[in-house]
Amino acid sequence: MITRDTHAFLAFARGCATDFGPATARAAFLVAPDGFSLAEQSAQDNRYMAAAGAFDAARASQQHRELHRAFSAALPTVCFAGNPSTPDALFPNNVFGTAAGRYVVGRMRHEVRQREAEREDIRAFFAGVLDYAEIDLSAQAHPCELTGALVIDRARGLGYCGLSERCDEEGARLMHEAFGLRATLLFELAPGEYHTNVVLAVLAGRAAIVCPQGIADPGAVEAIAALYAPHVVRCAPAEHAAFVGNAIALSPDRVWMSAQAGRALTSEHRDLLRGAGFEVATVELDAIEAGGGSLRCCVGEIF
C-alpha cells in the first residue's frame, strides 16, 4: 500500500506486526566532512543552512570525529573519506540506504549531491564487502533522497514520505518498492521544509518524535501519533528549530540527537522518551548543523 489516505493507512498499519525485520541497524556508516563548506545549490531549498561565513571546517571535522567515536561505542561504525567537491557528503543517508541483503542508491535533486552517488568505494563496500545486491535509482528522473525524505519504521515495514522538491510521488513509489515496505504514507511537507527526517523520527518501532509545524497535513500528524501513542513527542517550535526531530535510535534503549537538540528537549519530553525505554544521548554538532542537517542526517544505517 502506498497512499495519501491517512485513515486507510492507519487501519492497515495497526494490523502490521513488528516482525518485518530488526528495529534498529546492525551497523552504521559515516562520511567525513572533508572540505565542509556552503553548498550553494543545496541552500536554495534548505532554510536550515547557515551563511558561508558561519562554516568552520576544522570544528566540523572535530565534532564529526567525536560523533564517530560515540557511535563506535554503541555499534560497529565505519567512516568513509570525504571529498571537497561534495561538501554535503557528510549527510550520506540521503544517497545510500540499505535493507536486508541490498543497498539502494538515491536520486538527489541537486547536481552537487548527485556526484555523491558516483562513489565507487562506497558502492564497492556494499556490493563487494557486504555482498549486497544493488538497486540504483540515481539515473532516473525523479528525486528520491532516501531516508532524508522517507522515515522508515523498520520493525513494521512502514514508510512515512514527505513530498517536497527533494522527493516527488514517483520517487516515493520507487523507494517504497526498493525498500520492500508494506505500506507508505505520503504527505506534503510544510513550506520551507526539505526533508522528512528533520520533522519526524520513528524510534525502534516504539515511539515517534514529530514536529507538527513541519508537516502540511494535520491528518498525517494525527495518524502517526495514533499509531505510536502514548510514546509520542510533539515538538514545540523551539524543539523543532533545534533539530529534536532529527534523532535516531541505533539500539533499543537509546535515542541520539545533537547537543543543541538535547538542550532544547523539554523535561516532559525527556521523561516521555524514558517511559518508552529510551535514554537520550547527545553529541555537540553545532558546526555541522551550519550545513542544514543534524545528527540523524549524518548516519547511514546498515541493516
Side-chain angles (χ1 to χ4, degrees), residues 50-103:
F55 282 72
D56 184 337
R59 182 169 171 78
S61 182
Q62 177 186 8
Q63 290 182 345
H64 195 268
R65 181 60 180 153
E66 291 299 324
L67 181 69
H68 188 186
R69 195 182 343 268
F71 283 170
S72 293
L75 79 171
T77 307
V78 298
C79 185
F80 295 95
N83 185 331
S85 71
T86 56
D88 290 324
L90 77 161
F91 304 132
N93 75 304
N94 310 147
V95 187
F96 296 98
T98 67
R102 62 194 181 277
Y103 76 100

Side-chain angles (χ1 to χ4, degrees), residues 2-24:
I2 180 166
T3 182
R4 289 176 176 265
D5 186 328
T6 56
H7 298 291
F9 175 85
L10 181 58
F12 181 88
R14 280 178 164 157
C16 291
T18 55
D19 61 356
F20 186 76
T24 58

